[in-house]
Amino acid sequence: MNRSVVLSETGNLSVRHQWGKFFQGLFLFSTVIGLIVLGILIVTVVDKTFTLVAVTNKVDPATLADRPLEELSEEELRQILRENLRPARLRTIERDQAPLDEMNQADLTALVTTEIVKPTTRASYPLFQSLTRRAEIEAEIRSEYPDAQIYFKAWLTWDFLQRSMSTKPDLAGVRQAVKGSLWIIFITILVAFPIGVGAAIYLEEYADHRSRINRILQTNIENLAGVPSIIYGILGLAVFVRTLALITSGAVFGVDAGSGRTILSGGLTMALLVLPILIISSQEALRAVPRSLREASYAMGATRWQTIWHHVLPYALPGILTGTILTVSRALGETAPLILVGASSLINKDPQSVFSFFTTLPFQIYNWTVRPQPEFRNIAAAAILVLLAVLLSLNATAIVLRNRLSKRI
Amino acid sequence: MPRATLDRQLHQIQDEVLTLGSMVEQALVKSVDALKRRDVTAAQQVIRGDQAVNEKRYAIENGIIAVVATQQPMAHDLRFLAAVLEVIIELERIGDYAKGIARVCQRLEGVEIPIPSRDFERMAEITVSMLHRSLSAFVKEDASLAHRIPDEDEQVDALYNSVYHGLITSMIQHPEWIDHSNLLLWVAHNLERAADRVTNICERTVFIATGELLEMDLDDYEETE
Amino acid sequence: MSEQNLSNHFAIETRNLNLFYGNFRAVKDVNLQIVPRKITAIIGPSGCGKSTVLRSFNRMNDFVPGFHMEGEILFHGKNLYAPDVDPVQVRQYIGMVFQKPNPFPKSIYENVAWGARINGYKGNMDELVEGALRAAALWDEVKDNLKKSGLSLSGGQQQRLCIARALAVKPEIILMDEPCSALDPIATLKIEDLMRELSENYTIIIVTHNMQQAARASDYTAFFTMDEDRAGVMVEYGETSQIFTNPRDKRTEDYITGRFG
């Protein structure tokens, strides 16, 4: 070849480079779209969580005490309650919630607020709107509610996490929902993890891959992973809530909840839901264990079980955990099956055991968003942020756990 | 087929062995001819030519070492190269014998002494023929031919014996020629030894072909000088 | 090789060994007699069944679906594939070192100790580990770092760790399946030297693609190739020096001189 033509362009090289650039641009575009959508979601949620509100009180708190309610002692708050509420109402409260004497400062403050001050959010304006058109909005409020207080309100507060459910958006909290979600997830992991990993070990390490029965089994597991979650809800309703009511209600253990619509039923249903995915992801993790590692173990005179226990499982564990967390995260966000299994839309009692009635965060969010009052959207948005935080912390735990296990290897 | 490089190198070595062989053949014929014609100049050429033979031998030897180092020859290839190493030594020695004969030619300059050049020529003829065919057998790896060639050494030995007796007789009859007859005896000895060297080449041919190292021992075979 | 050269007592002897993967006959009628405390190399082109034969010696092929064998593999006069033989037991007597160094993702100490422990070793573990590492010519390099991960070692060290690990189980025979194919030349030569030392106490059978390695490192060499049905057959078996200077079979010659195919 002539020296001078060695590095001159040959063939369609520039066209090939252009195609490469085109696809690179396309992939970048897809990524950007994804990021934009995620951004919109978060902005919308935040927009609704922090809003400008117009609040009117039925009773001005200043007439109740000379200091703000939060600074009063428990005894002073009890005093206010006893003075301002009718005895019948007091008895109802004590029966439904707890005796006044057992309540703490936060509960009492909340009670004073709900029962006496009765603040009502008259209007709520999303964050960005409020920032851009504040004067306009204030004028609008002044004309409609002359005595309203106007201030920025964060719906997501420490109180919001601690407060009970309520029919009034200003007073509602997610305590039961967070606890319910955690209980359900706990039961789900407790049941699904050992069964899922066990099944995966059997299918990967013991079962003859060529046998017809095992192939059918494998295909079915894969199909089950794609079954809509509502179907699992129906299954849970039929099996756990109805058929096994004696067990799921705790009747046979002497703590009868009255029906099978308990955390246990919910957790078991969720376990069923995640099981196929968990099995498949665990199988993947086991399959990723290099053959050389198994061979090394066998060649030293190890039995199959010694090989699995000492080498295969430790090696696959990070992968199994990743799969578990991902599926559990999915379960954490599930709503449909729990509606069927009977999550309660309004409970005041915290879940005490697996035989308690329950609600969960996504279910709560769903409930609030279908309410007519616009303020429920605000607390739904706040609850969404709580749910996101729980999911992120679960995933973070998983990543930390996986990295620590990987480092040992 | 793989190993084209190795094959090419082996062929080249083979060709060079043949070149060396033909150089040696010519030197032998030329030295005897120079002696017959008492041509000191021709003898001088043979002596100088031996330098080229030696150089050729070392060139081939270096080539073999390079092939062994770079190509890791095995089995037959390895045997071939080992055999060539041996064969080129034999060829170089035959060249040395030719040089020795040429030296005798120089020493006999102006000396009036009858030379049994007919017998010498005959011995050289047979030896060169044996050498030529032994190299041909070597190249073709023809073990059966290689087995037959050493038998012809007997003819050379017979000629040697007859020359030997002739020269001894001449020494007794002409004691003044003793020194020079001794030189001629040396010529006969060189020719006889050259034929023995050919036998060694035939042994190597058998080794390449069969992998067996055998000694084609003849009755009057002499151990190395 | 003449029969007299062989000891009457073989480390392993195969009789009409045929190995199958499903319906495919991977190895056909192999009669191989492994001399104890010597290094035997098995060489041959890819797919000639040499690894299959090696792996049948410690029943590693049992894990391959559809594998079955005919004939006999005798070890101390007992067929390794007899119904009453437990393959786990077989592998305690016949250890293996693999192509790619595959230390366990554990400490160097644990790598060596593990095999002994699972096999119920009750003696002084520290001594055993040191002994095995010394025998594998690795002790001096790792004695101060026994807690470090086996995977932190270089490729050659890892392979010697794998050898030490195999030795810790006290096998009689060590199978090596191309143990140096992933190593650099210096590491390879170290392993070969080590094999020579180990052959004083162990029988070593090595499968290798590297003919020079077989020539350098082994006492006996078996050459395998494929017949017209693509089944592996043993063409020639003899002392290494003979196989590499003067093979009897044309196919061996062609393979050894690199003129195969």
Side-chain angles (χ1 to χ4, degrees):
Chain A
M1 193 188 291
N2 189 331
R3 217 168 220 292
S4 62
V5 302
V6 165
L7 279 179
S8 72
E9 187 180 321
T10 52
N12 52 356
L13 188 58
S14 67
V15 177
R16 285 186 279 153
H17 278 313
Q18 273 163 16
W19 271 110
K21 287 223 172 69
F22 170 73
F23 278 105
Q24 189 185 356
L26 201 64
F27 301 144
L28 179 65
F29 178 70
S30 319
T31 314
V32 168
I33 292 285
L35 284 173
I36 288 173
V37 170
L38 190 66
I40 290 173
L41 174 81
I42 288 173
V43 166
T44 314
V45 172
V46 170
D47 199 31
K48 293 229 170 89
T49 310
F50 304 94
T51 61
L52 191 67
V53 288
V55 178
T56 55
N57 291 332
K58 195 178 174 199
V59 174
D60 190 348
T63 62
L64 295 172
D66 47 0
R67 285 168 291 154
L69 291 180
E70 287 74 16
E71 288 173 19
L72 297 177
S73 70
E74 294 182 7
E75 208 37 61
E76 284 171 308
L77 288 165
R78 286 193 194 101
Q79 193 57 38
I80 292 170
L81 283 166
R82 290 200 177 99
E83 284 170 4
N84 288 279
L85 289 178
R86 282 172 290 116
R89 181 62 193 147
L90 266 179
R91 275 199 302 279
T92 315
I93 291 168
E94 294 206 315
R95 193 187 64 223
D96 286 354
Q97 298 177 23
L100 286 189
D101 293 335
E102 290 175 18
M103 289 190 188
N104 58 25
Q105 211 265 352
D107 287 341
L108 291 165
T109 310
L111 207 56
V112 171
T113 311
T114 23
E115 296 294 326
I116 304 164
V117 178
K118 294 197 175 165
T120 312
T121 303
R122 296 294 175 180
S124 154
Y125 298 90
L127 179 61
F128 296 100
Q129 206 183 347
S130 317
L131 288 176
T132 50
R133 302 174 36 231
R134 174 132 194 193
E136 221 175 300
I137 291 170
E138 284 194 13
E140 194 180 310
I141 296 170
R142 289 270 167 264
S143 69
E144 276 189 52
Y145 311 102
D147 57 347
Q149 293 172 286
I150 302 170
Y151 54 89
F152 266 110
K153 174 167 183 176
W155 295 88
L156 176 61
T157 59
W158 190 239
D159 262 3
F160 179 69
L161 296 177
Q162 288 185 316
R163 282 199 303 261
S164 280
M165 289 168 76
S166 166
T167 47
K168 297 187 179 64
D170 295 274
L171 304 169
V174 288
R175 192 178 70 224
Q176 284 90 357
V178 170
K179 284 188 178 174
S181 274
L182 292 178
W183 268 100
I184 295 276
I185 287 308
F186 177 69
I187 299 290
T188 307
I189 295 176
L190 206 65
V191 174
F193 184 76
I195 296 180
V197 175
I201 290 174
Y202 177 79
L203 289 170
E204 270 311 302
E205 305 291 327
Y206 289 96
D208 179 0
H209 292 268
R210 298 180 311 155
S211 98
R212 183 176 295 266
I213 294 173
N214 283 316
R215 286 215 309 262
I216 292 172
L217 208 61
Q218 186 71 46
T219 313
N220 276 316
I221 290 170
E222 273 150 31
N223 286 338
L224 279 177
V227 168
S229 57
I230 191 84
I231 308 289
Y232 285 97
I234 297 170
L235 182 74
L237 178 66
V239 175
F240 300 126
V241 178
R242 301 268 163 77
T243 312
L244 298 176
L246 280 180
I247 295 169
T248 51
S249 66
V252 293
F253 305 103
V255 276
D256 198 352
S259 88
R261 312 166 90 81
T262 55
I263 286 176
L264 186 58
S265 292
L268 290 175
T269 307
M270 283 299 187
L272 277 191
L273 173 73
V274 300
L275 204 48
I277 311 169
L278 194 58
I279 293 173
I280 290 168
S281 66
S282 301
Q283 276 185 289
E284 296 287 347
L286 290 170
R287 223 172 288 152
V289 177
R291 207 179 67 162
S292 63
L293 190 64
R294 297 167 205 269
E295 286 189 331
S297 172
Y298 287 130
M300 320 236 358
T303 61
R304 194 184 284 265
W305 173 243
Q306 285 171 323
T307 300
I308 292 171
W309 183 247
H310 289 279
H311 300 297
V312 176
L313 273 184
Y315 195 97
L317 202 54
I320 292 175
L321 285 180
T322 308
T324 307
I325 293 300
L326 286 178
T327 50
V328 162
S329 300
R330 188 191 152 188
L332 193 62
E334 276 293 346
T335 322
L338 293 180
I339 296 177
L340 282 170
V341 173
S344 315
S345 51
L346 193 75
I347 49 170
N348 286 320
K349 284 187 183 158
D350 287 8
Q352 300 296 325
S353 72
V354 294
F355 303 116
S356 303
F357 295 151
F358 67 97
T359 185
T360 65
L361 268 173
F363 184 66
Q364 196 65 64
I365 293 164
Y366 164 73
N367 262 320
W368 282 338
T369 52
V370 296
R371 298 266 178 129
Q373 298 97 314
E375 286 73 30
F376 277 111
R377 312 273 153 74
N378 298 127
I379 56 172
I384 287 171
L385 286 181
V386 175
L387 181 61
L388 283 177
V390 173
L391 276 175
L392 284 178
S393 53
L394 255 182
N395 286 350
T397 315
I399 290 167
V400 169
L401 206 62
R402 189 185 58 200
N403 288 352
R404 284 189 58 179
L405 287 170
S406 306
K407 213 171 282 166
R408 274 222 320 257
I409 288 172
Chain B
M1 176 173 280
R3 307 233 67 169
T5 308
L6 175 62
D7 285 337
R8 201 181 58 243
Q9 288 171 338
L10 293 179
H11 264 285
Q12 202 178 328
I13 287 170
Q14 208 173 47
D15 290 346
E16 290 190 32
V17 170
L18 289 182
T19 310
L20 181 63
S22 94
M23 287 163 79
V24 170
E25 283 170 18
Q26 277 182 28
L28 202 61
V29 171
K30 249 180 148 176
S31 66
V32 172
D33 185 56
L35 185 65
K36 174 186 157 195
R37 293 191 289 108
R38 296 174 184 266
D39 184 343
V40 181
T41 325
Q44 190 65 43
Q45 277 174 7
V46 171
I47 290 166
R48 260 191 261 114
D50 190 56
Q51 190 60 33
V53 169
N54 289 351
E55 278 164 14
K56 189 84 185 161
R57 180 211 142 175
Y58 290 123
I60 296 175
E61 198 171 324
N62 280 330
I64 290 171
I65 289 168
V67 172
V68 169
T70 58
Q71 297 287 339
Q72 286 93 38
M74 286 287 186
H76 172 270
D77 302 332
L78 186 60
R79 295 204 303 275
F80 170 77
L81 292 170
V84 169
L85 269 183
E86 198 61 37
V87 166
I88 57 176
I89 292 173
E90 305 295 342
L91 289 175
E92 194 229 317
R93 285 283 152 77
I94 295 174
D96 287 343
Y97 294 142
K99 184 168 121 185
I101 293 170
R103 282 254 159 77
V104 169
C105 177
Q106 280 181 323
R107 299 266 293 273
L108 289 180
E109 190 184 3
V111 178
E112 289 299 326
I113 183 171
I115 296 172
S117 48
R118 266 185 60 94
D119 285 346
F120 285 165
E121 269 181 329
R122 184 78 194 119
M123 282 173 86
E125 208 175 277
I126 296 169
T127 304
V128 166
S129 155
M130 283 170 68
L131 176 60
H132 197 82
R133 280 175 299 131
S134 76
L135 288 176
S136 160
F138 182 79
V139 168
K140 285 189 252 169
E141 296 173 16
D142 185 341
S144 71
L145 177 58
H147 267 295
R148 287 198 306 275
I149 293 169
D151 298 341
E152 297 169 27
D153 192 41
E154 284 174 24
Q155 299 176 40
V156 180
D157 287 346
L159 282 166
Y160 172 74
N161 285 336
S162 104
V163 170
Y164 179 82
H165 288 299
L167 286 171
I168 295 294
T169 314
S170 121
M171 280 183 204
I172 295 167
Q173 287 170 351
H174 305 279
E176 69 275 22
W177 288 350
I178 282 184
D179 282 354
H180 298 118
S181 295
N182 205 27
L183 287 173
L184 292 173
L185 207 54
W186 185 240
V187 170
H189 177 77
N190 275 6
L191 289 169
E192 190 270 333
R193 291 295 295 134
D196 288 344
R197 297 281 169 185
V198 172
T199 306
N200 288 351
I201 294 174
C202 292
E203 283 174 6
R204 296 295 146 179
T205 301
V206 173
F207 171 69
I208 297 176
T210 67
E212 285 169 71
L213 273 173
L214 56 85
E215 201 157 278
M216 297 176 175
D217 216 350
L218 298 163
D219 295 339
D220 52 354
Y221 184 83
E222 290 172 51
E223 271 305 310
T224 46
E225 51 208 298
Chain C
M1 161 179 41
S2 64
E3 290 296 316
Q4 291 87 337
N5 277 353
L6 292 172
S7 149
N8 288 324
H9 190 68
F10 301 114
I12 279 191
E13 182 177 4
T14 73
R15 291 189 181 158
N16 293 323
L17 181 64
N18 284 274
L19 302 172
F20 300 83
Y21 293 121
N23 293 325
F24 172 66
R25 193 211 300 248
V27 170
K28 187 167 150 190
D29 295 331
V30 169
N31 289 292
L32 180 61
Q33 294 154 336
I34 302 292
V35 184
R37 286 158 207 256
K38 293 282 177 197
I39 302 172
T40 303
I42 302 180
I43 59 170
S46 297
C48 71
K50 54 191 190 300
S51 273
T52 304
V53 168
L54 190 78
R55 284 161 170 268
S56 69
F57 290 164
N58 68 342
R59 296 195 59 168
M60 288 301 279
N61 286 331
D62 288 17
F63 300 106
V64 180
F67 171 82
H68 66 282
M69 63 87 81
E70 286 170 9
E72 286 183 313
I73 299 176
L74 298 177
F75 175 71
H76 290 289
K78 175 103 185 154
N79 185 3
L80 288 177
Y81 284 79
D84 61 329
V85 171
D86 183 345
V88 173
Q89 192 89 42
V90 170
R91 295 181 202 119
Q92 289 169 19
Y93 286 97
I94 306 177
M96 190 159 196
V97 176
F98 296 88
Q99 185 168 359
K100 208 174 136 255
N102 56 352
F104 297 130
K106 297 174 185 285
S107 71
I108 293 169
Y109 185 95
E110 271 306 303
N111 259 283
V112 181
W114 188 77
R117 194 176 295 136
I118 58 153
N119 283 312
Y121 178 74
K122 291 278 186 284
N124 184 328
M125 191 58 85
D126 291 353
E127 275 175 21
L128 181 84
V129 169
E130 182 177 342
L133 285 170
R134 277 190 193 283
L138 190 61
W139 174 252
D140 290 334
E141 290 161 62
V142 302
K143 62 184 173 200
D144 300 324
N145 294 309
L146 291 175
K147 292 263 184 304
K148 263 175 61 179
S149 166
L151 294 171
S152 65
L153 298 174
S154 74
Q157 289 174 324
Q158 287 191 15
Q159 197 62 298
R160 278 179 281 147
L161 178 61
C162 291
I163 292 172
R165 181 177 74 180
L167 296 178
V169 189
K170 310 263 179 218
E172 286 182 24
I173 299 175
I174 302 170
L175 308 176
M176 296 188 172
D177 191 356
E178 302 192 35
C180 301
S181 63
L183 303 185
D184 66 67
I186 301 296
T188 300
L189 292 175
K190 276 191 190 164
I191 299 278
E192 288 171 12
D193 284 348
L194 174 59
M195 284 164 57
R196 185 52 70 195
E197 276 173 41
L198 292 175
S199 69
E200 286 173 23
N201 298 308
Y202 303 91
T203 305
I204 296 176
I205 309 174
I206 174 174
V207 159
T208 177
H209 262 127
N210 182 336
M211 277 181 295
Q212 272 71 39
Q213 177 168 58
R216 282 193 301 264
S218 71
D219 300 305
Y220 295 93
T221 298
F223 172 64
F224 279 64
T225 190
M226 282 169 286
D227 69 1
E228 51 281 3
D229 302 325
R230 303 191 59 75
V233 288
M234 189 172 79
V235 174
E236 195 167 346
Y237 176 43
E239 286 182 29
T240 299
S241 55
Q242 177 251 311
I243 294 279
F244 281 93
T245 58
N246 193 15
R248 306 253 187 277
D249 195 286
K250 177 77 167 52
R251 290 169 291 176
T252 317
E253 168 91 36
D254 285 349
Y255 182 74
I256 287 184
T257 58
R259 289 177 179 79
F260 173 78

